[in-house]
Amino acid sequence: LWPPLVPPPARLPFSDRSPVLRITDNDGSILLRGNTDSRIEQILAKSEVKLSSTVLQTARSLSEITAQKKFLARVDPAIVLQTGGSRKGQGGRSPVHTKNPGFPGIPVFQTADDGAVTIDLRRSFLTIRCYGTSKVFNWKRRAQTPGSSGL
């Protein structure tokens, strides 16, 4: 989904070269957001590309994502996986739920605190295993509607 083919990525500023990929199969999808900034999120949110995904993976903190309400609304994730960083001082362990009133109850898993995280996507359920905290979370998936991530 990003960077665009024109202009060639080598001509973009280094900060704009982080790839954004959407991987999908019959059981769900994951949007790999990488380390893109809010400007790239705005470009993608305004684009016609399909962003809706069961899982949103990001290297940036959730507070930076929730500032981009249109991007998050287009992705409509069932869960967010934040890789890198730490949320020490925010209290408690996963899942942390976003405080954004437009998107209540989105579980956020952070590898800095939860350790390695596996996500098992099935048609009727979603299972997350956190190896650093030895916790397992299961969600029954809701019926999919057009544009919905399915949870």
Side-chain angles (χ1 to χ4, degrees):
L1 304 176
W2 187 266
L5 296 176
V6 177
R11 291 188 182 165
L12 294 172
F14 183 75
S15 60
D16 288 354
R17 295 183 200 167
S18 185
V20 177
L21 306 169
R22 184 173 181 270
I23 302 168
T24 187
D25 73 2
N26 292 334
D27 291 328
S29 59
I30 182 168
L31 183 70
L32 303 171
R33 181 178 167 267
N35 196 25
T36 56
D37 63 17
S38 59
R39 189 177 71 76
I40 304 304
E41 289 174 6
Q42 290 172 354
I43 291 169
L44 289 171
K46 292 177 183 176
S47 74
E48 298 296 319
V49 299
K50 185 171 183 173
L51 296 176
S52 64
S53 298
T54 311
V55 178
L56 171 62
Q57 177 279 328
T58 181
R60 295 174 68 211
S61 72
L62 182 63
S63 62
E64 294 177 66
I65 296 171
T66 56
Q68 300 298 320
K69 292 180 184 181
K70 188 173 183 179
F71 177 77
L72 192 57
R74 290 272 322 274
V75 177
D76 187 28
I79 67 164
V80 173
L81 175 62
Q82 182 182 331
T83 55
S86 177
R87 64 181 189 17
K88 300 276 189 237
Q90 293 182 11
R93 287 277 187 191
S94 285
V96 172
H97 298 286
T98 63
K99 303 300 182 202
N100 185 328
F103 305 97
I106 299 174
V108 179
F109 297 89
Q110 298 180 318
T111 58
D113 296 332
D114 296 314
V117 175
T118 61
I119 301 167
D120 185 14
L121 298 169
R122 302 289 177 180
R123 289 189 190 270
S124 60
F125 67 91
L126 177 72
T127 301
I128 295 93
R129 289 177 181 81
C130 303
Y131 291 90
T133 59
S134 301
K135 292 185 178 180
V136 177
F137 301 90
N138 293 292
W139 281 274
K140 183 175 178 166
R141 297 180 74 162
R142 68 179 184 249
Q144 282 194 299
T145 57
S148 170
S149 61
L151 276 205

